[in-house]
Amino acid sequence: EDFFWSTMKREVIIIDAHDEEEIRRKRRTSRKRPRATSDIASQLLATENSSVHVEAGSSVSKRLCRLEVQKTAEVPSIDDLSDDLLVQIFQHLGGLLELMRVLPVCKRWLRVGGDPRLWSTLSFYNYEHVSDAALRSILANGQALRRLKSLSLARCHRISEETVRLIPKSPCVNSLESIDLSWCSGASSRSVPIFSRCPGLKEVKLSYCWKVHGRALRCLALRCPRLEVLDINCCTNVRDTHIIAFAEHCRNLRYLNIANARSVSDRAICRLAERCQNLEVLDLSWCSKITDVSLNAIAANLPKLRELRLNETQVSNLGLCQVVKSCKQLEELHLARCPIGVFAAASIAIHCRTNLKILNLA
């Protein structure tokens, strides 16, 4: 009786020999069924060479699956970029200081950082305490500087004259187009003329370089015929002969600042206006010998003039009227401490009401 009840509870199923064999076959097949693989593994196995058969669920299949998953999980790094792309990224850095900070990261970045495309412009502006040793180390990297076009040492007070003389002797001599030595301690009558070796020089800024004399400027005028921008504000002993030399040999001048050249007279400005008719900016501030004679020459020969500075000169109402009538593109006019009357002010208001943006009568 006990056996009967236990048998009823377990649901006894009676099968024949054929059915029993079929069940055993299905059990054997289920044991060999491969484990579920990822879609990536299935695709990998499906695209394998038909001549090589890889059984699903085998150790080879599992290794291939893990390898493919690892490849898809890898995150691209900056090391995967080409050198050309790295150069383009470095070109968007803020300036020299930022570039010098990233170069020591690794040997590859240091090598890529020497690409000449990154050194077409080199400015030490606002780095007043840059030393001779730092500048010499940069100049020693000749290959990087062979495409240097613009160099600024403005307000660098620890640069020596000897170091400045090394610049035109470096590989940048043939590519240099602009040099700014304003307020630079190394700018002198010995170091500046050597820049006449640069055949493509177009821009020279020597503002407040008291150690640069007129004789050095004459050397630049004779040997740099492609000059377009010249700033010699507060240079020492600038005379008519020096300005006339620039007028005769540098016909492409667009910007000229000779402020504080108290020895320059109307004779030089008249010659300048006749020869350099592409002038757009002219600063004659504190040139105390300038009179209406210069203004008449400017009015007759400089139609492209956009900015004129005549602070503390001897110009009068008549000369100013001629200038504002003839220079139709004038945008800035500075007349601080000039004896300007109502007649000149009215003429300025009439003739310059369209383009004039800045008028200084302080």
Side-chain angles (χ1 to χ4, degrees):
E1 184 177 357
D2 294 337
F3 176 77
F4 173 77
W5 285 107
S6 61
T7 303
M8 291 295 291
K9 292 176 182 178
R10 280 187 282 174
E11 288 186 2
V12 177
I13 300 175
I14 300 175
I15 60 176
D16 57 15
H18 177 74
D19 293 335
E20 182 179 2
E21 182 62 28
E22 182 66 21
I23 291 172
R24 287 178 179 176
R25 187 182 64 78
K26 290 182 178 180
R27 287 179 178 175
R28 287 195 300 268
T29 304
S30 63
R31 292 192 188 101
K32 295 180 180 179
R33 184 176 300 167
R35 296 181 181 178
T37 58
S38 65
D39 293 339
I40 297 174
S42 301
Q43 294 174 7
L44 179 64
L45 293 175
T47 56
E48 284 293 320
N49 194 326
S50 58
S51 62
V52 180
H53 177 69
V54 179
E55 184 180 358
S58 66
S59 60
V60 176
S61 174
K62 293 176 182 178
R63 286 197 297 270
L64 289 173
C65 180
R66 287 196 296 269
L67 179 61
E68 185 66 21
V69 171
Q70 289 176 0
K71 288 182 178 179
T72 57
E74 289 180 356
V75 178
S77 68
I78 196 170
D79 293 331
D80 298 327
L81 300 178
S82 64
D83 289 353
D84 185 64
L85 287 176
L86 276 180
V87 170
Q88 295 183 42
I89 292 173
F90 290 168
Q91 284 177 330
H92 287 81
L93 295 175
L96 176 65
L97 184 60
E98 286 74 13
L99 179 62
M100 300 302 289
R101 283 175 176 170
V102 302
L103 295 187
V105 168
C106 62
K107 292 182 179 179
R108 185 193 177 202
W109 285 25
L110 184 62
R111 174 178 56 80
V112 172
D115 192 292
R117 289 174 290 178
L118 297 173
W119 298 88
S120 61
T121 300
L122 187 58
S123 176
F124 290 92
Y125 186 74
N126 286 333
Y127 301 113
E128 298 183 7
H129 302 293
V130 63
S131 64
D132 264 358
L135 183 57
R136 285 172 182 260
S137 64
I138 293 175
L139 293 175
N141 189 6
Q143 292 301 316
L145 299 180
R146 68 178 185 270
R147 293 187 187 178
L148 182 66
K149 293 184 178 181
S150 176
L151 174 62
S152 175
L153 295 174
R155 299 180 182 273
C156 293
H157 304 307
R158 298 176 59 186
I159 301 297
S160 67
E161 183 181 284
E162 288 72 20
T163 301
V164 173
R165 288 172 59 87
L166 292 177
I167 297 172
K169 298 178 181 179
S170 67
C172 71
V173 61
N174 293 319
S175 61
L176 193 65
E177 297 180 357
S178 172
I179 179 69
D180 187 354
L181 297 174
S182 303
W183 293 90
C184 179
S185 58
S188 70
S189 291
R190 290 185 65 248
S191 60
V192 168
I194 200 171
F195 283 94
S196 61
R197 295 184 178 183
C198 304
L201 200 61
K202 296 180 180 180
E203 181 174 334
V204 176
K205 293 185 178 181
L206 302 170
S207 182
Y208 294 97
C209 294
W210 293 284
K211 294 186 291 184
V212 177
H213 298 271
R215 188 173 298 177
L217 298 177
R218 182 177 175 81
C219 181
L220 288 178
L222 296 177
R223 299 181 183 180
C224 301
R226 300 179 65 183
L227 273 183
E228 297 179 6
V229 176
L230 179 64
D231 186 348
I232 52 176
N233 177 21
C234 288
C235 287
T236 306
N237 294 329
V238 178
R239 302 184 182 278
D240 283 352
T241 54
H242 308 133
I243 303 303
I244 291 174
F246 282 109
E248 295 293 340
H249 297 91
C250 304
R251 301 289 185 89
N252 296 322
L253 277 177
R254 296 181 297 102
Y255 177 104
L256 178 62
N257 183 354
I258 57 172
N260 291 288
R262 301 183 183 275
S263 299
V264 174
S265 68
D266 291 328
R267 183 171 71 95
I269 303 305
C270 289
R271 184 71 63 85
L272 179 72
E274 292 172 1
R275 302 297 190 207
C276 302
Q277 298 188 6
N278 291 321
L279 272 172
E280 298 177 8
V281 178
L282 180 60
D283 192 344
L284 303 175
S285 300
W286 300 285
C287 296
S288 54
K289 293 185 178 182
I290 301 302
T291 67
D292 285 349
V293 176
S294 294
L295 294 190
N296 292 332
I298 290 172
N301 297 287
L302 302 180
K304 298 180 181 180
L305 198 65
R306 294 184 296 103
E307 181 179 341
L308 179 61
R309 295 174 179 263
L310 299 167
N311 301 319
E312 204 168 328
T313 55
Q314 297 184 28
V315 297
S316 69
N317 292 338
L318 294 176
L320 286 172
C321 289
Q322 291 297 321
V323 169
V324 297
K325 286 179 182 178
S326 302
C327 301
K328 303 295 185 180
Q329 300 184 31
L330 202 62
E331 297 178 358
E332 291 190 29
L333 184 58
H334 297 260
L335 302 169
R337 297 186 181 181
C338 292
I340 303 304
V342 177
F343 181 70
S347 182
I348 293 171
I350 293 172
H351 297 286
C352 299
R353 64 179 181 273
T354 304
N355 295 325
L356 194 65
K357 298 178 181 178
I358 297 177
L359 176 60
N360 180 11
L361 300 175

